[in-house]
Amino acid sequence: GVVFALSGFQNPLRAHLRDAAVHMGALYRPDWTPECTHLVCAFARTPKARRARSKGGVVVGHTWIWECQKAGKRLPCEGYLLDGSASSSSDGEEPEEAPPPSHPSP
């Protein structure tokens, strides 16, 4: 039931996040659309994150994808939510380049 878009990530991290979520069964959209349920975002206070929240979307950090992958199931979003209330802006900063967990061998 997850349809997601990504915001604020550059390749190769962007591709790793997309591939990991799609591998778990999520549907990817290159930009926020009305069918999206989640925005996986590098920064909480961006126009795209505000738009997603205003449309009822859930805005989460990228660690949500890694933790879901590690657990082998969709985890609750609490604890991964980016609510946009940070006191300082992250504009211009790069997101953490966390290496993706390795996929288990088939």
Side-chain angles (χ1 to χ4, degrees), residues 59-71:
V59 180
V60 294
H62 70 287
T63 55
W64 180 64
I65 292 178
W66 301 148
E67 295 298 319
C68 289
Q69 185 180 48
K70 197 173 4 176

Side-chain angles (χ1 to χ4, degrees), residues 72-89:
K73 64 181 182 179
R74 179 179 167 186
L75 298 173
C77 294
E78 291 75 22
Y80 304 98
L81 295 173
L82 299 180
D83 68 7
S85 64
S87 59
S88 64
S89 174

Side-chain angles (χ1 to χ4, degrees), residues 20-45:
V22 168
H23 183 74
M24 290 183 286
L27 298 175
Y28 170 73
R29 298 295 177 258
D31 199 3
W32 181 263
T33 66
E35 68 181 321
C36 289
T37 59
H38 292 71
L39 179 66
V40 181
C41 206
F43 309 111
R45 296 173 52 179

Side-chain angles (χ1 to χ4, degrees), residues 5 7 9 30 42-44 47-48 53 61 73 77-78 83 86 90-93 101 103:
S7 177
F9 300 103
F43 309 111
K48 190 181 281 188
R53 281 187 208 93
K73 64 181 182 179
C77 294
E78 291 75 22
D83 68 7
S90 298
D91 293 338
E93 293 180 16
H103 293 283

